[in-house]
Amino acid sequence: MSLAADTREAVRSRPFVFDALRAGLLNHSAAAAWLAEAAALDGEPDAVAAALRRFREDLPAYATESRGTTVSMRSGVGLSAADGAAEGDAGEPLLRVGDAAVAPEGDRTAIVATGDVDAAALGASLRRLAVRDIEVPAAGVAENTLVCVVGRRDGPDAVRIVEAALDAVPTPDST
């Protein structure tokens, strides 16, 4: 492969570099020096920086659109085995993943976003919660519903964090 192709592959395999490049926030020279070492690229950092600049020109603009979502908080949830989970308002647990379920009784809080949510929205929410040191013992997204379970005291902060994440992550149509 060419140095340009190797550089693009190195960027694609490091999503944080890809996002920064796409958003126009990447220092090309510093990223090139780091990528040359981290990805063992066979080329001078100046050549890698030039490849990064050309790659940036080919990427669509990093833009976000308002997602049609509603974020709410449900206190008093817990985690249990899915086969023995207590029934929720609609006759089902809030979230069922494998052998685990978010049940409507417990000492935790569920942050529930409904509407235009997807895996990217979940990923952005989880990254932001992690940066704020909020533990998330269970999370998932399916059929226009995103759920993140947090500690009871973290609920109000987590609602604001998830709302901000949903406002900042590109919608599927804008990527």
Side-chain angles (χ1 to χ4, degrees), residues 50-61:
L52 286 171
R53 284 185 197 90
R54 286 190 304 274
F55 187 25
R56 168 65 182 104
E57 291 170 3
D58 293 341
L59 294 174

Side-chain angles (χ1 to χ4, degrees), residues 61-174:
Y62 192 91
T64 60
E65 295 177 16
S66 179
R67 289 175 176 255
T69 59
T70 302
V71 181
S72 62
M73 181 172 68
R74 294 190 192 173
S75 296
V77 302
L79 303 177
S80 66
D83 58 357
E87 299 297 311
D89 296 339
E92 291 290 323
L94 293 175
L95 174 69
R96 197 182 295 254
V97 180
D99 293 334
V102 179
E105 293 183 12
D107 61 352
R108 299 186 182 180
T109 297
I111 308 306
V112 181
T114 56
D116 189 13
V117 295
D118 55 14
L122 177 62
S125 298
L126 292 175
R127 280 191 302 276
R128 285 179 180 234
L129 290 165
V131 166
R132 296 286 300 271
D133 291 325
I134 295 178
E135 182 182 345
V136 181
V141 63
E143 295 189 20
N144 300 321
T145 302
L146 178 150
V147 178
C148 294
V149 177
V150 299
R152 183 180 299 260
R153 291 181 182 248
D154 290 325
D157 288 335
V159 166
R160 289 187 289 276
I161 291 166
V162 170
E163 286 174 334
L166 293 174
D167 286 341
V169 68
T171 58
D173 296 336
S174 67

